[in-house]
């Protein structure tokens, strides 16, 4: 085949077209709809944190390449945060790596830790970068589907166990879980940990919503469970915790060996990123507990506004105990196809949402589910709820 006959996009990425977010955001603009599709806040984070970034820029902190592993101030602040919140101790020099958001941390971890053909067991529905990152690393994804059970999405522990084969290299876990809003329980996480120890698997755990848990639910980092610290790569991010998703400051905490491996891939992706923002995030992580508690409570109130509106509009609303998102079932509205529903929703009600099927390999398992983001101002959520009432 000549190069003109050969597809430009390689085989590893061929299945990943433009993300649904581009299509839905364009639809939101062209129809004047309220965009509850993509998960980003419509208000910025704390003023003092924004000012810290301005100060860093003015004072010339981070305007040139920062150190590869991240600026020492931020690595120290990340280690202190893990210690203070969870009693996990990490050496800021050897066990912490700053990345260009959690997205780069996930990609670098998979690129570093997988050989071609290695299997990755991941919770389905997936955050949208997982499948592409596994593919870029030459791995094979093996989904374990979270299913509704008594009003929330839960992990079937037998299915998880059955998904592990001799080719499995790692488990890719996400809690609090996007898009279902589920927070894995201690029992579920203990089963994950026991399986990882028994089968000697690595675990990559995406905990970017660690501070957004509701109704008294507890976020339990996998690394705190027996036998896990030495096999777990924990990923965090400032984007979701401080409402600065454009800053792209994320991090990895793990053993020196695992951090060194992830850094080997990361250094050839971005090398470094977000210099001045790293200083600002170091200050943000040291904010008093009151910041985190108020932020959590505000987000819970937003969840309540949107959940009530969706219930009134006739959706089945699953319990959201974490994240920015509510997953709904559209079948009570007489609908079965989330794609068709989301494409028509802007015309019908002036609201944009995301069909969960895009986050599944088993598309049919996700067909009736639709995700709404509630990380928006209360008045925006109230207006969206008002508009959605037209559906019932
Ligand atoms: C938003 C999000 C990310 C990406 O975080 P960045 O720091 O913006 O790269 C990763 N994982 C999940 C589950 C997310 O929702």
């Amino acid at each position: 085949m000549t190069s003109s006959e050969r597809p430009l996009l390689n085989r590893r990425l061929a299945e990943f077209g433009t993300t649904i977010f581009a299509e839905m955001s364009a639809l939101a603009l062209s129809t004047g709809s309220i965009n509850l599709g993509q998960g980003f806040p419509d208000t910025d984070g704390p003023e003092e944190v924004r000012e810290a970034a301005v100060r860093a820029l003015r004072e010339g902190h981070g305007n040139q390449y920062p150190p590869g592993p991240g600026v020492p101030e931020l690595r120290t602040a990340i280690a202190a945060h893990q210690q203070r919140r969870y009693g996990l101790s990490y050496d800021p020099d050897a066990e912490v790596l700053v990345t260009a958001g959690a997205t780069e941390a996930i990609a670098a971890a998979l690129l570093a830790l997988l050989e071609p053909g290695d299997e990755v067991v991941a919770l389905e529905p997936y955050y949208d970068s997982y499948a592409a990152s596994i593919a870029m690393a030459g791995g094979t994804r093996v989904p374990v589907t979270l299913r509704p059970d008594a009003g929330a999405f839960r992990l079937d522990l037998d299915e998880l166990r059955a998904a592990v084969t001799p080719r499995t290299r790692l488990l890719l876990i996400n809690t609090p879980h996007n898009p279902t809003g589920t927070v894995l329980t201690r029992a579920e996480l203990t089963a994950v940990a026991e399986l990882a120890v028994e089968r000697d698997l690595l675990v990559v755990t995406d905990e970017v919503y660690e501070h957004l848990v509701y109704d008294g639910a507890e976020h339990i980092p996998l690394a705190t469970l027996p036998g896990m610290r030495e096999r777990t790569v924990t990923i965090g991010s400032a984007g979701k915790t401080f409402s600065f998703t454009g800053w792209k400051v994320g991090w990895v905490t793990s053993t020196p060996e695992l951090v060194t491996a992830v850094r080997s891939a990361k250094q050839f992706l971005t090398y470094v990123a977000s210099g001045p923002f790293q200083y600002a995030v170091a200050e943000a992580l040291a904010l008093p507990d009151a910041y985190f508690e108020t932020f959590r409570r505000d987000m819970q109130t937003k969840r309540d506004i949107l959940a009530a509106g969706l219930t009134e509009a006739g959706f089945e609303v699953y319990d959201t105990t974490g994240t920015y998102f509510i997953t709904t079932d559209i079948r009570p509205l007489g609908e079965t196809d989330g794609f068709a529903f989301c494409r028509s929703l802007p015309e019908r009600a002036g609201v944009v949402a995301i069909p969960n099927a895009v986050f599944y390999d088993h598309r049919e398992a996700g067909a009736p589910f639709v995700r709404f983001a509630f990380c928006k101002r209360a008045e925006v959520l109230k207006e969206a709820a008002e508009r959605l009432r037209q559906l019932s």
Side-chain angles (χ1 to χ4, degrees), residues 100-103 106 127 130 174 178 206 208-209 237 240 245 248-249:
T103 307
I106 294 157
Y127 177 63
Y130 295 174
N174 170 216
N178 173 7
D206 176 345
V208 301
Y209 295 102
S237 172
K240 307 290 163 55
T245 58
K248 297 299 287 190
V249 177

Side-chain angles (χ1 to χ4, degrees), residues 51 101 159 204 282 359:
E51 284 307 313
E159 216 178 303
V204 174
F359 306 122

